[in-house]
Structure formats: C-alpha cells, structure tokens
Amino acid sequence: MVQEETRKGPWTEHEDVQLVFYVNLFGDRRWDFIAKVSGLKRTGKSCRLRWVNYLHPGLKRGKMTPHEERLVLELHAKWGNRWSRIARKLPGRTDNEIKNYWRTHMRKKAQERKQAMSPLSSISNNSSSASSNALVDYMPVVETKERSFYDTGGVLAPSSSIFRSYSSSNNPPMDSMPVIETKGQSFYDTGGDLEISAPKGKKDKEVEASEKVYPMDDIWKDIDLSENFLTMTSPIWNYCPDLQWMMEEEESKMFPAISDPFFALAG
DNA sequence: AAGCTGTACAACCGCGGATAA
DNA sequence: CTTATCCGCGGTTGTACAGCT
C-alpha cells in the first residue's frame, strides 16, 4: 500500500496525546489499526514503539539504580543482547532503554572488568558487590512469554513534556518496592500513581523550568477535552461502537484521511 | 565565548516469528 | 500448505545536551 506522507522523526506532544487516547480506547495490540484510525501519519510500528518506549504508564524513567545496573550486567552476561528478555526482569525499563544504557555505560564497564579480572566472579560496584548468584536471589526470574504490559484501561502516564512528571528524588529503590505482576510484565506499585522522573539528558533545564509536575488530572483533562471534541466532530465516532469491526473491513475506504481533531482544537 | 567531543536517548530500519486468510 | 500481514526484537542512526578545552 502506498502510504502518503508517513511522518517520521520526533513525536510531538500532540501526537502523543492522540496516541495515548486511541490506545486507551482500542488497546495496545492492533497498531496498524490504531495508526489508521487515529489519523496519525505514523506507521503502526512507529506508534507501538512510541507507546512501548515512552508513553506506557508503567515506565520508570530516570537513572538506573545500582541494583538495576548490576542486574543488567548480570543478565547480559547470561543472555547476551536479548534486550527484551532482560527488560522483563527490570520492571519499568524498556528494552530500548536498557540497550541504550548498555551501550553507553555498561559495555565500557564490562570491558574494563574483563580486562581487570576473569568474568563475573565478582561484580563490584564500589558500594556494593554481589556475586552473580546473589543477584539471582533477590530477583526471581520468572519466564513469561508475552510482554503485554498493561491494561489500557489503566492509568495514563508520562510522556513528552506534557506528560512528564518529575519526582525530584528520582526513583525509589526498586528493591523495596512492591511489584505487581501483570501478564508478563511487572510494575511497581506506587500506590496508584506511577513514578516517573525526568529523562536524563534534558532533565536539568526541564526540571528547572518546570518543577512543574503534570498531575494525572491534567492529563486526563487533556484527554477528556480531546475526547469530547472527537465525539462531536470525528467521523469515527459516528460509527462507534461498531467502529472496530467496521474498520477491519473497510478501514481505508471509510477513513482515508481523518482530519486531525487535535490540531483543529489547537488552532 | 566558541568549538569540539562524548554521552544519553529517541526513533527508524530490517528481519524473523506468529498468526490469519 | 501457502501466502500475506502484523508484531516484536535487535541493530543502528540521528540529534540534543553537557562538559571540556
């Protein structure tokens, strides 16, 4: 199929909101469908990536804890570049995040270690040293096949600047946090809200500029607004709730180009 | 202050597996 | 059984920012 002008590159806040909205509506499985229905000029693949790596409510941003660091090191030694697999053992971290982290931090460390000593017999990190066995001890490894980490009915979360909320003290030590296991992916139970901290690179400025925490209410306000608007204007909603199966049949015919309701809103 | 370099992270690409038709 | 489509994964690239000279 010829995709006219598929958008690439960085996601805008607006796109984020839109994607979150539709994922909450339709779930996180049918990405091509979501991509089409949402009117985003993105591929399903791109939508999925954005969701999984950035918009997903369970994501835990901010610096890796020493514990996580060790875990990554350990699991990488065990499994190699099986990032998604490793990510499953690090609740709130994505394969992409871990992969990036590894590339920038750990690989260097690992190499240093390799040179310094024979592999893994003692992973020491100044403050802590743990044998590989010990690591496995406090992080029980449970294999799960699927990594569908959420219920889209759940809480919305952090995203681009509008979603970002910064817990100033970064992450609570994961060791002490209760873990909720969902099918295949575990989250930290933060008592309702999810812990999100600033993305590292831009942290300083953004945190300064906004000690500004975006409470969930605000986010939902955004969504509600959009939803109302959609309800009123988007052709999609004329067909709801049968939309889903209808789309399956004639998605492209019926909604060749859903005009972007959010832009309309903004403009 | 300006330029350079390294780091961190977001996003894209291509491939392979799973599943539906 | 074959083919098409979708999804997920791992590798790679691009870009912004921070720190150093």
Side-chain angles (χ1 to χ4, degrees), chain A residues 164-168 196-199 203 206-207 210-213:
Chain A
R164 263 173 222 146
S165 64
Y166 303 133
S167 56
S168 50
I196 315 289
S197 56
K203 184 170 48 190
E206 286 181 0
V207 170
S210 55
E211 268 291 50
K212 175 187 180 182
V213 170

Side-chain angles (χ1 to χ4, degrees), chain A residues 8 16 20 28 31-33 46 57 65 92 107 134 159 169 178 180 186 203 224 233 237 259:
Chain A
K8 287 182 181 179
D16 283 344
V20 167
D28 64 316
W31 294 109
D32 275 4
F33 172 76
S46 179
T65 64
R107 194 163 54 178
S159 101
S169 56
I180 298 171
S186 40
K203 184 170 48 190
D224 280 348
T233 60
W237 308 106
S259 63

Side-chain angles (χ1 to χ4, degrees), chain A residues 3-70:
Chain A
Q3 209 109 342
E4 330 172 347
E5 57 163 331
T6 308
R7 254 184 66 80
K8 287 182 181 179
W11 282 66
T12 63
E13 283 177 19
H14 169 76
E15 287 177 307
D16 283 344
V17 173
Q18 207 168 341
L19 178 59
V20 167
F21 175 77
Y22 280 93
V23 169
N24 276 281
L25 205 59
F26 295 118
D28 64 316
R29 283 280 155 189
R30 308 178 56 210
W31 294 109
D32 275 4
F33 172 76
I34 288 173
K36 277 178 194 159
V37 177
S38 66
L40 290 164
K41 294 183 172 64
R42 299 277 184 171
T43 63
K45 219 173 175 178
S46 179
C47 291
R48 175 189 162 270
L49 199 74
R50 183 63 177 171
W51 174 259
V52 168
N53 286 328
Y54 205 76
L55 299 173
H56 186 271
L59 293 183
K60 172 179 152 194
R61 297 185 161 270
K63 235 173 123 65
M64 291 267 189
T65 64
H67 173 220
E68 287 174 313
E69 236 178 66
R70 289 200 309 275

Side-chain angles (χ1 to χ4, degrees), chain A residues 6-222:
Chain A
T6 308
R7 254 184 66 80
K8 287 182 181 179
W11 282 66
T12 63
E13 283 177 19
H14 169 76
E15 287 177 307
D16 283 344
V17 173
Q18 207 168 341
L19 178 59
V20 167
F21 175 77
Y22 280 93
V23 169
N24 276 281
L25 205 59
F26 295 118
D28 64 316
R29 283 280 155 189
R30 308 178 56 210
W31 294 109
D32 275 4
F33 172 76
I34 288 173
K36 277 178 194 159
V37 177
S38 66
L40 290 164
K41 294 183 172 64
R42 299 277 184 171
T43 63
K45 219 173 175 178
S46 179
C47 291
R48 175 189 162 270
L49 199 74
R50 183 63 177 171
W51 174 259
V52 168
N53 286 328
Y54 205 76
L55 299 173
H56 186 271
L59 293 183
K60 172 179 152 194
R61 297 185 161 270
K63 235 173 123 65
M64 291 267 189
T65 64
H67 173 220
E68 287 174 313
E69 236 178 66
R70 289 200 309 275
L71 202 51
V72 169
L73 198 64
E74 170 67 18
L75 294 177
H76 185 270
K78 202 162 143 190
W79 294 330
N81 295 357
R82 318 293 300 178
W83 302 116
S84 63
R85 196 172 177 184
I86 294 171
R88 277 173 221 143
K89 309 303 170 206
L90 290 158
R93 302 292 185 188
T94 69
D95 52 355
N96 207 34
E97 192 179 3
I98 293 170
K99 185 169 60 183
N100 284 327
Y101 188 76
W102 173 263
R103 284 179 63 83
T104 51
H105 290 81
M106 309 301 273
R107 194 163 54 178
K108 208 195 296 174
K109 279 189 188 177
Q111 278 167 3
E112 283 168 9
R113 276 197 191 105
K114 249 182 203 169
Q115 288 174 354
M117 63 187 75
S118 55
L120 282 173
S121 52
S122 73
I123 300 168
S124 60
N125 215 359
N126 287 344
S127 55
S128 56
S129 68
S131 75
S132 43
N133 289 338
L135 268 173
V136 175
D137 280 342
Y138 56 80
M139 196 67 163
V141 172
V142 180
E143 279 303 328
T144 52
K145 187 167 170 259
E146 273 298 321
R147 167 205 186 180
S148 58
F149 27 135
Y150 36 63
D151 226 316
T152 38
V155 193
L156 257 192
S159 101
S160 50
S161 34
I162 64 152
F163 286 107
R164 263 173 222 146
S165 64
Y166 303 133
S167 56
S168 50
S169 56
N170 286 340
N171 309 309
M174 66 186 278
D175 315 58
S176 62
M177 297 186 67
V179 174
I180 298 171
E181 282 286 348
T182 64
K183 20 173 173 172
Q185 176 74 26
S186 40
F187 297 121
Y188 290 108
D189 181 5
T190 55
D193 288 338
L194 290 146
E195 286 292 338
I196 315 289
S197 56
K200 262 187 289 177
K202 301 149 193 168
K203 184 170 48 190
D204 291 343
K205 268 184 196 166
E206 286 181 0
V207 170
E208 271 174 35
S210 55
E211 268 291 50
K212 175 187 180 182
V213 170
Y214 243 93
M216 294 321 252
D217 286 354
D218 284 3
I219 296 165
W220 279 111
K221 225 182 287 167
D222 277 351

